[in-house]
Amino acid sequence: MKILAVAGSNSETSINKLLVSYAASLIENAEVEIVDMNDFEMPIYKHQREVESGVPQEAKNFAEKIDAADLLLISLSEHNGTYSTAFKNVFDWTSRIKDRAVWNEKPMLLMATAPGARGGLGVLEAATKRFPLHGGNIVETFTLPFFNDNFDKEAGKISNEEKDSELKEKIQKISAVESILEK
Ligand SMILES: Cc1cc2nc3c(=O)[nH]c(=O)nc-3n(C[C@H](O)[C@H](O)[C@H](O)COP(=O)(O)O)c2cc1C
């Protein structure tokens, strides 16, 4: 099984990258690729840029990785209640590639975390509403509030037992969906 783990952040110290990496580590016998928005840095979407030069190669690379994956694990950082600019830019450009939906109906575990009490719920809600319009097949969602209290950075895992069990259950569910699809 090929897993694409996506951190919707361009921070070099992204907490969402830590979370999505941990989630990916919970799936056995998988080939995992972890990416963040620095891997697809390109000019901000502009209509004239698209007319003049088309969709940048970086967005096409992102789409190729989605197409090659069996399962998507995505964790989005929240800026002012919604997507980070870095993620939104990649999303916008990728949505301009003709004849394909951004998420290509791949089973997805959609997550968010933040240092605050809501754990990125704002961006999670925005994405939950929007992604299905772009071929998003959201099987489960997960938020981790109070990241600094609930995640052990040194161990690279969730330290809050309740939240850890919740994530593991959701990972099991999405892995089962994927193995059904494989048959
Ligand atoms: C411009 C900006 C806006 C932010 N807005 C929110 C917010 O609306 N809600 C929230 O919970 N955290 C907010 N934060 C804090 C981020 O959740 C925090 O920086 C987190 O580390 C981002 O995830 P990342 O490290 O994966 O990029 C904001 C941070 C920045 C820099």
Side-chain angles (χ1 to χ4, degrees):
M1 191 196 310
K2 267 189 163 180
I3 296 177
L4 182 65
V6 180
S9 166
N10 65 354
S11 167
E12 307 289 347
T13 55
S14 169
I15 59 177
N16 283 279
K17 193 168 184 179
L18 292 176
L19 177 62
V20 82
S21 303
Y22 174 54
S25 78
L26 297 173
I27 303 180
E28 284 165 16
N29 303 320
E31 190 188 318
V32 179
E33 183 175 11
I34 301 168
V35 296
D36 65 38
M37 295 303 103
N38 293 302
D39 297 312
F40 311 102
E41 193 162 297
M42 56 196 145
I44 292 176
Y45 179 85
K46 179 174 170 175
H47 173 69
Q48 286 70 24
R49 275 194 185 119
E50 183 183 359
V51 171
E52 281 162 25
S53 324
V55 175
Q57 187 58 45
E58 289 82 358
K60 292 178 185 165
N61 294 345
F62 185 57
E64 271 175 27
K65 287 184 190 298
I66 292 167
D67 292 345
D70 300 307
L71 191 60
L72 302 175
L73 305 180
I74 301 183
S75 194
L76 299 172
S77 65
E78 179 170 299
H79 281 179
N80 295 315
T82 190
Y83 312 110
S84 68
T85 304
F87 174 80
K88 185 62 162 50
N89 195 41
V90 173
F91 185 34
D92 286 349
W93 275 118
T94 308
S95 74
R96 300 299 295 166
I97 300 173
K98 288 199 172 48
D99 301 324
R100 72 176 293 288
V102 174
W103 305 115
N104 200 2
E105 302 297 337
K106 301 297 168 104
M108 178 191 298
L109 170 61
L110 183 60
M111 302 184 285
T113 188
R118 281 167 53 82
L121 198 59
V123 66
L124 195 84
E125 284 171 354
T128 301
K129 211 166 151 192
R130 188 70 207 181
F131 283 9
L133 304 177
H134 299 271
N137 172 12
I138 302 168
V139 179
E140 282 291 351
T141 62
F142 177 81
T143 57
L144 184 65
F146 299 120
F147 179 87
N148 296 318
D149 297 328
N150 288 330
F151 195 94
D152 180 342
K153 280 188 185 174
E154 266 181 35
K157 56 196 280 194
I158 294 176
S159 52
N160 177 313
E161 279 181 24
E162 214 172 294
K163 292 302 288 184
D164 198 37
S165 303
E166 182 190 333
L167 179 62
K168 284 174 177 163
E169 270 170 37
K170 290 179 173 177
I171 288 283
Q172 268 201 330
K173 185 172 166 193
I174 198 164
S175 305
V177 168
E178 172 47 29
S179 49
I180 290 163
L181 290 176
E182 269 179 337
K183 281 171 194 160

